[in-house]
Amino acid sequence: MYTIDNKSYPCCTSVTMRFIGGKWKAVILYHLIDGAKRYNELRKVIPTITERTLSLQLKQMEEDNIIDRKVFTEKPPLMVEYTLTDFGKTLLPVLEEITKWGKEAPEISKKIIRN
């Protein structure tokens, strides 16, 4: 049994999914692998995510110390960048395997069509 923020998780897989589960977290993290991205850059590379969902997911991952939010205030307009933290980088092997599976799956499953 594991506990995070006073909530119990029955196994190590549920702990992992607590941090990257859901429709968008792994997708956002995938786009941060190559380096810092601004909010609008993330919106462009993930066009089907809503602004509200992106904001909420970024905020939650920042609270979980998976990503870092850096605000640049030297000159207007305000600029915000998101990067993976050292803790977030520990998820890279998991994300790479998820990506690998997603690339290979269309070759195996007739249900998946690559556009």
Side-chain angles (χ1 to χ4, degrees):
M1 190 68 84
Y2 300 84
T3 304
I4 304 169
D5 296 332
N6 295 317
K7 186 174 178 186
S8 296
Y9 295 85
C11 68
C12 54
T13 302
S14 62
V15 170
T16 304
M17 295 311 293
R18 154 65 173 74
F19 288 99
I20 65 165
K23 185 175 180 179
W24 297 111
K25 285 183 181 177
V27 175
I28 294 166
L29 293 173
Y30 169 78
H31 289 290
L32 292 175
I33 288 173
D34 295 330
K37 295 264 188 314
R38 294 184 320 243
Y39 179 87
N40 282 333
E41 289 177 301
L42 289 169
R43 285 276 296 135
K44 286 178 185 174
V45 295
I46 315 170
T48 54
I49 193 170
T50 66
E51 288 189 30
R52 182 176 189 275
T53 299
L54 179 58
S55 294
L56 291 172
Q57 297 294 283
L58 289 168
K59 188 174 191 173
Q60 187 173 26
M61 288 190 291
E62 182 184 3
E63 289 170 1
D64 288 339
N65 193 37
I66 292 184
I67 63 170
D68 184 49
R69 178 179 185 263
K70 187 172 183 180
V71 180
F72 296 90
T73 58
E74 292 89 41
K75 60 179 184 173
L78 182 78
M79 189 173 88
V80 179
E81 279 187 346
Y82 297 92
T83 56
L84 292 173
T85 63
D86 288 340
F87 179 58
K89 288 176 184 175
T90 64
L91 289 165
L92 290 179
V94 176
L95 294 169
E96 288 167 1
E97 286 300 314
I98 290 170
T99 301
K100 179 182 170 190
W101 187 90
K103 287 179 179 177
E104 295 171 357
E107 299 167 12
I108 301 165
S109 173
K110 292 177 183 170
K111 190 173 187 169
I112 304 169
I113 300 168
R114 188 184 320 242
N115 297 330

